[in-house]
Amino acid sequence: MVRGDTATSAVRSEELEQYRGELVGYCYRMLGSIHEAEDAVQETMLRAWRALARFEDRSGLRPWLYRIATNVCIDLLKGRSRRALPMDVAPVATGELRRGEPWPEATWIQPAPDALILPPGDDPAERTVSGESVKLAFIAALQHLAPRQRAVLILRDVLRWRAAEVAALLETSPDAVNSTLRRARAALAAVDRDTAASEPVPGDREVLTAYLDAFARHDVDALVALLRDDATLDMPPFTLWMRGPDDILRWLLAVDAFGQERFTPVEANGSPAVAVYRPDAPGGRPRAFSIQVLDIVAGRIGAIHVFLDPSLFDLFGLPLDPPS
């Protein structure tokens, strides 16, 4: 009897676990935090496990899990401020060395490894659509929507669910879903952020390589040549952000970024990214310092997002000391 119960439990666990990855991606878009997304999915699995013995429609397991996950996310979003990027909360600054005081972690959008939030597989079209829907600008823009609007827009426009399927999940009508979707699209369009999908080009990785090479060779001119005229640099948990190659360069020179930092390429938010190791003092041993995510537009860098949070390294499977 015990063996049979154990085998049944294993089968049920496998039924649930096959959806964990896509649920993390969904909850990340809803919440803007990979840590919260993983916690939300764990809570979803616990609730589903407790109710699974009473759930008979196995063909409806996926939408049932999404319903639970949506309710968990909406509960988490009640009564709290939206997560943001620095340009959402502060005016543009110059490249002078004034960071101010760090703001709490709950203020900020977090980066997320592609392996945790994008579907597995090699279909280029699917990867392109999924990758665009986890770009940091899009995740930040989503946070401007009310929770139910956010859920409807993600389910309809990102995951391509039909209106009737979303209506069943939210226990409403297809007309109400379509109305909510129209309002969500209008609200998203009103956000002053470029969230339009853009086809990634094969040169994106070459831009990352050139970016790392410029630092390795201390080549300031090469770095400036990679930046768009309207490029931005931001660095959570500080509200400081700047626009334009001149101020970005002034900042990088002020913090002595050239020559001290070691880089390990990673993949985050459907974008080229690097983990940066930097010594605490000149001549010191490099330690985990930041995760940098690059937005690349038409072969040039449009934004450098510098997340000064060494705790993120574990998510990317990286040690606090640089790999040899």
Side-chain angles (χ1 to χ4, degrees):
M1 183 67 176
V2 173
R3 289 180 180 175
D5 288 345
T6 301
T8 300
S9 297
V11 170
R12 290 174 176 172
S13 294
E14 290 176 2
E15 285 183 283
L16 298 179
E17 287 298 323
Q18 65 180 313
Y19 298 106
R20 181 180 290 273
E22 62 180 275
L23 288 170
V24 170
Y26 172 64
C27 292
Y28 174 69
R29 294 175 178 94
M30 286 287 292
L31 302 170
S33 162
I34 188 59
H35 293 312
E36 287 191 350
E38 291 187 315
D39 289 345
V41 173
Q42 186 60 26
E43 176 63 22
T44 297
M45 293 297 181
L46 288 173
R47 293 187 189 184
W49 173 255
R50 295 187 188 113
L52 189 58
R54 303 187 302 276
F55 184 75
E56 298 180 354
D57 181 15
R58 288 298 190 263
S59 64
L61 185 60
R62 182 172 181 260
W64 180 60
L65 287 172
Y66 270 86
R67 177 186 295 180
I68 298 172
T70 300
N71 290 334
V72 170
C73 289
I74 289 175
D75 287 344
L76 286 172
L77 292 167
K78 286 179 180 176
R80 79 169 202 191
S81 300
R82 61 180 174 83
R83 288 180 177 264
L85 291 172
M87 53 278 297
D88 295 314
V89 299
V92 65
T94 65
E96 298 174 1
L97 190 59
R98 291 200 304 267
R99 295 191 304 188
E101 294 297 319
W103 285 25
E105 183 278 332
T107 306
W108 306 114
I109 299 291
Q110 286 183 335
D114 285 358
L116 295 182
I117 57 174
L118 292 182
D122 300 321
D123 185 332
E126 183 179 356
R127 295 286 291 185
T128 296
V129 172
S130 298
E132 288 297 328
S133 73
V134 293
K135 297 287 189 185
L136 286 167
F138 185 70
I139 297 297
L142 283 174
Q143 310 311 302
H144 289 264
L145 305 182
R148 281 177 71 89
Q149 288 183 339
R150 205 177 301 179
V152 168
L153 188 133
I154 295 168
L155 291 166
R156 292 281 283 119
D157 284 358
V158 175
L159 301 181
R160 306 298 181 185
W161 286 35
R162 296 190 297 272
E165 294 173 321
V166 178
L169 183 148
L170 295 175
E171 298 181 331
T172 187
S173 69
D175 285 345
V177 166
N178 288 330
S179 177
T180 300
L181 180 61
R182 286 193 295 272
R183 292 195 300 273
R185 287 172 174 168
L188 199 66
V191 177
D192 185 19
R193 188 71 59 75
D194 182 10
T195 59
S198 59
E199 289 287 336
V201 298
D204 283 4
R205 299 298 162 186
E206 283 74 7
V207 173
L208 176 62
T209 299
Y211 177 78
L212 300 182
D213 183 63
F215 277 95
R217 294 188 295 107
H218 309 181
D219 192 334
V220 174
D221 292 335
L223 177 64
V224 170
L226 293 172
L227 300 176
R228 289 168 54 93
D229 292 341
D230 60 350
T232 60
L233 183 146
D234 59 81
M235 56 200 78
F238 300 97
T239 60
L240 178 68
W241 69 281
M242 60 208 67
R243 177 185 287 120
D246 290 344
D247 280 324
I248 291 174
L249 179 59
R250 189 180 307 145
W251 168 264
L252 292 172
L253 291 173
V255 298
D256 196 21
F258 293 91
Q260 289 201 64
E261 298 182 336
R262 293 180 58 180
F263 299 89
T264 298
V266 294
E267 294 183 332
N269 294 86
S271 303
V274 291
V276 180
Y277 293 89
R278 179 180 174 86
D280 296 330
R285 183 177 182 180
R287 295 281 291 171
F289 181 68
S290 69
I291 299 293
Q292 296 187 10
V293 184
L294 308 183
D295 290 343
I296 298 177
V297 181
R300 296 175 72 191
I301 297 172
I304 306 171
H305 305 283
V306 181
F307 294 90
L308 301 170
D309 183 0
S311 71
L312 294 170
F313 277 57
D314 184 58
L315 285 171
F316 288 87
L318 293 172
L320 294 179
D321 294 313
S324 57

